[in-house]
Amino acid sequence: MTRPKSFQKLLVANRGEIAVRIMKTARTMGYGTVAIYSEPDAKAEHVRIADEAVCIGMAAPSESYLKIAAIIDAARQTGADAIHPGYGFLAENEDLPIACEQAGIVFVGPGAEAIRNMGDKAGAKALMEQAGVPCVPGYQGEDQDSDKLLKEAKRIGFPVMIKATAGGGGRGMRLVLSEKDFLNHLQSAKSEARTAFGNDVVLLEKAIVNPRHVEIQVMADHHGNAIHCGERDCSVQRRHQKVIEEAPSPAVDPELRERMGKASIDAVRAIGYAGAGTFEYLLDGDGNFFFMEMNTRLQVEHPVTEMITGLDLVELQLRVAAGEKLPLDQIDVSYSGHAIEVRLCAEDPAAGFMPQSGRLELWEPVSFVRVDHALRSGAEIPPFYDSMIAKLIAHGCSRDDARRKLVSALDHTVAIGLRTNKNFLSDCLSHSVFAEGRATTAFIADHGDDLMAVETTREARAAMITAALMRAGPGNRLTHGFYTPLRLARGERAFAPIVQAFRNGACHVEMSGEEPLELCVTTVDGPRVTLELNGATSKALLWQDETRVTVHYQGRSYDFLDLTFQPTVAAEVAGGDGKVRASMNGNIVSVDIAVGDTVEKGQKLVVVEAMKMEHTHASTLSGTVTAVNVTKGMQVSTHAVLVEIDAA
C-alpha cells in the first residue's frame, strides 16, 4: 500500500456531477484539478471547469473511463500526483490503486487489499461474520454450477436474492420469488454482471421481506482513528437502485444508531480500513439489521450526511489520502435537522424507467436547495453512461420541512428536451406512506400503480393546456377564432384536443371525455407565458421542436409528440407490424434468434444495454423471423428496427 504523502494536483477519474463536486472541494483546498473525458464528453461540464483535461478514448466505458493505463498516462501528462475515482467506473477496482502505487501517484481511497476483500460480496460477508457483524443467511461458494446454485437456493428457501459478487448499483441483482423462475433470473443476472463488471460470479441470500435499506457512513485514517457519521435511509428504490435517500432514517433511534455505528466501526478496525466507506444493512421491522455489503468509496447519497453533520466528506477523503489524522473524534460528530436527496434521472417511469438520451434543451436548477449537477442548457446526455443527471438535496429543521422544500424544488426545476423522472420523484415525496416515514424497499413495487395513476390523470389536462399554448402562445398566436384540431401523443396515449383561439389571447379547448377548458394567455416572453385559468394567474413554459412539444406548468413537465400534420399510423404504432424497434439508444448485448426462426409473442429476441442496464426486447407477435438487422456489439439508436417478423 502506498504510504500517504502530500500532493498538489488531483485528477478526477470520473465524469458528470461527481467529478464537478470533487473538483469544487479540491479547488477550495488549493489543489489543481485535471479532468479526463471520452470523445462524446468533450464539451461536458466537468471538462469545462477543470484546470486541465485529457481525452482518454471513445464512448464506451471500456474504451475510456475504464482504461487504467490511459488514466495513469493522463496523470503523468498533466503532472497530477493524486487520483480520485469518484463512484462507479473504477472506484472499486483494485487494479487502479495498484497502478497508482506503481506510478508513485496517491490514490484517494482505500488500498487494493481492502477493495478486493470488500468488493467480493462473498468474501466480505465471511469477513463480517468473523468480525461479529450480523449477516443474512445465504450461499457464497466457489461452485457456480447452475444446478448447485438452484440446490442452495432451495436450501435457503424462497424468496432469494441473486447478487453479482463484483460491483453494485443493482446490476447483476435479481429477486427470485419461486423455484420455477430461478434459472432464468440466474442467466440474466450473470449476463448483466459480465457486461458491467467482467465477472459473472454470484452469491445467494435469503430475501428479507419488505426491509428498510439503511447504511452507515464511516471514515478512517492511516493512524488508527475511525468515526461513523450516522445513517442514511435508502429504502425507496427501483430495480435495486436508490431513488430517494435521507438522513437520519425515520426508523432509527439513538440506541439503534449506536449499535449499527459500533458494528461498522468494529468492522473497519477488523479489516484495517482507511478512507471513506459505507456499510449497507437490511433493517427489519423488529430493529434487527443484517450486513449486505460495504462500498469502499464515496456514495452517491453522501450529501445528506454532509447536510446534517456539516462535514465535507470529500475534504476528509483528501486529508486522509495526504496522510493527515482525522480532525475530529466520534464525540465531535453531531447531527442537525433532516436532509433528503432525490436522484434526477433521464428516464421514463411510465415505460419501466427506460433510460433516455439526447439533448437537454433547457436546464434551470433552483437556488434554494443544494443541486449537484454537471448540466447546462444544450448539454448532450449520451446513452453510454448512468442515467442519473443531477441530485437535489434539501435540508430542514424537521423531516417534513426538508420533504416539503424538496417537493417545491422539484416543481421549480426546469429540465426540458428529454424525459426525466422529475414528476415521479415529486409524487413519491408527496405519497402518504413516504410522508409518514413508513417507506420500505417495497415502496415503489407496492405503490407504483398509484404513483403512475397520478401522472396519467394529469396527462389529459396537460395535453389541453399544451394545445392552447400551441395556438395562443409563443410565436403561434392565431386570430381567426376557427376550431383547430390537433393530434398529440405521449407514450401509448393519443390526445385530440380542438382549440379555438382569439385575438386577445383567450382560448377555448375541447377534448373527448374531458371538461372544456377556458384560459387566456396574457403575456408572452420567449418560451414563457403568463396565463389566466380558473380565476388565477400562473406561469407556464412551452418548448417546441420539429416533432415534439413540452409544457412546464404548475411544477410538472409533460412532453408530447405533435402528430397534427403527420399521416395517421395504425399497425406500426400498435406494435403489430412485426417490426421490433429499439426502445432507447444503446449497445446490442445479445441476439437470441436468426432469420427463419419461429417465435412466440413475448419471446426474448434482442438485449440492448443502455446506461449500465440491460433491456430485453421481445416479439410483439407470433410468427417467423424474416430479418435480423443487428449483431452483438452494434450501437443502435432509438426506434431503429432490430428484428422483422411475419405473422403466423
Side-chain angles (χ1 to χ4, degrees), residues 36-58:
I36 57 170
Y37 63 95
S38 64
E39 291 176 355
D41 276 343
K43 297 181 180 180
E45 188 70 3
H46 76 284
V47 175
R48 188 185 68 82
I49 72 165
D51 297 325
E52 300 172 79
V54 180
C55 180
I56 58 168
M58 296 181 290

Side-chain angles (χ1 to χ4, degrees), residues 5-23:
K5 62 179 182 180
S6 62
F7 50 89
Q8 300 300 319
K9 186 181 292 187
L10 181 70
L11 183 148
V12 181
N14 218 296
R15 66 181 299 278
E17 60 88 16
I18 187 56
V20 170
R21 186 263 173 275
I22 292 168
M23 289 177 192

Side-chain angles (χ1 to χ4, degrees), residues 92 113-122 124 164-167 294 296:
E92 293 178 287
E113 183 178 4
I115 293 176
R116 183 186 311 117
N117 289 339
M118 302 311 294
D120 183 316
K121 290 185 175 64
T165 61
M294 181 188 186
T296 55

Side-chain angles (χ1 to χ4, degrees), residues 373-389:
H373 69 95
L375 302 171
R376 61 182 182 276
S377 295
E380 289 291 333
I381 308 300
F384 314 106
Y385 315 116
D386 194 88
S387 62
M388 188 184 75
I389 57 175

Side-chain angles (χ1 to χ4, degrees), residues 278-333:
T278 300
F279 287 87
E280 303 202 358
Y281 299 99
L282 292 177
L283 177 67
D284 68 18
D286 298 321
N288 302 306
F289 60 95
F290 303 94
F291 173 80
M292 285 195 299
E293 63 184 6
M294 181 188 186
N295 289 310
T296 55
R297 53 167 168 81
L298 197 67
Q299 293 279 87
V300 174
E301 57 273 16
H302 75 274
V304 294
T305 296
E306 294 183 325
M307 300 293 274
I308 67 166
T309 63
L311 300 173
D312 184 327
L313 295 180
V314 173
E315 178 181 346
L316 292 178
Q317 281 188 297
L318 295 174
R319 294 194 181 282
V320 167
E324 297 182 27
K325 291 183 178 181
L326 285 175
L328 72 168
D329 297 318
Q330 189 64 57
I331 196 172
D332 301 315
V333 179

Side-chain angles (χ1 to χ4, degrees), residues 465-488:
I465 292 173
T466 300
L469 298 184
M470 289 173 68
R471 289 296 171 261
N476 298 302
R477 181 164 292 190
L478 301 179
T479 59
H480 50 63
F482 298 153
Y483 286 97
T484 306
L486 302 176
R487 286 194 300 124
L488 305 175

